[in-house]
Amino acid sequence: MTVEVALSLMAGAGVEYLVLCDGDDQCTGAVSRARLTVFRDTPAYTDRVRLRDVPGSQPA
């Protein structure tokens, strides 16, 4: 999932955190809406960045 899709999903659901899972539905981390918003404003951001590539995603 891309950062933009995640931010849209989080806004629609009214949540501040998103739990990240792998293909086996095992929790692999979490990321906050605030962290994604900050990252989106950095030079490293493109519309193709996936959640797993966001620096600062917290291991579960």
Side-chain angles (χ1 to χ4, degrees):
M1 176 183 308
T2 65
V3 170
E4 284 301 317
V5 170
L7 284 169
S8 178
L9 177 88
M10 294 167 82
V15 297
E16 292 299 318
Y17 290 90
L18 189 64
V19 176
L20 306 176
C21 297
D22 64 14
D24 295 323
D25 290 332
Q26 298 296 312
C27 258
T28 59
V31 67
S32 71
R33 187 185 327 179
R35 177 69 191 125
L36 294 179
T37 301
V38 168
F39 178 72
R40 185 177 56 185
D41 295 333
T42 68
Y45 174 77
T46 71
D47 61 353
R48 294 179 184 229
V49 174
R50 301 188 59 82
L51 289 179
R52 66 176 169 250
D53 302 324
V54 174
S57 296
Q58 301 293 326

